[in-house]
Amino acid sequence: GKIMGFKITKLKDKALSDMAGLKEGDIATRVNGERIDSIQKVLDLYHNSKDQEKIDLEIKRGNVIKTLTYYIN
């Protein structure tokens, strides 16, 4: 099958995940507009995020698509 994102299964820090807007069961589908379709893509996006001022994370929660924006200091 084709990878359509990565499912968030365990969030260890409830306060941090609440602040980030993530919930168990969310599916991360895009980062900064780029589809997450492989583990290598996740690693590449992570390494490239160090130079970013903000990150837009698109998630699918049930049948709803949401974009969460994070600003990096």
Side-chain angles (χ1 to χ4, degrees):
K2 191 174 183 182
I3 295 175
M4 302 299 287
F6 288 87
K7 188 174 188 176
I8 297 171
T9 57
K10 297 209 180 206
L11 297 168
K12 293 182 180 183
D13 187 331
K14 179 151 174 40
L16 183 60
S17 61
D18 285 349
M19 186 174 66
L22 295 170
K23 295 184 178 183
E24 287 185 15
D26 286 350
I27 300 172
T29 57
R30 293 180 182 269
V31 174
N32 293 337
E34 292 190 50
R35 187 174 35 203
I36 302 172
D37 55 9
S38 70
I39 291 173
Q40 185 60 49
K41 177 68 87 158
V42 172
L43 295 173
D44 291 345
L45 290 168
Y46 172 75
H47 289 294
N48 293 337
S49 71
K50 296 174 183 176
D51 298 328
Q52 302 288 323
E53 292 183 15
K54 75 173 185 137
I55 295 173
D56 292 320
L57 176 66
E58 182 179 283
I59 62 166
K60 183 176 180 185
R61 182 175 295 156
N63 291 325
V64 177
I65 303 291
K66 297 180 76 164
T67 299
L68 305 174
T69 301
Y70 305 100
Y71 293 92
I72 302 168
N73 295 331

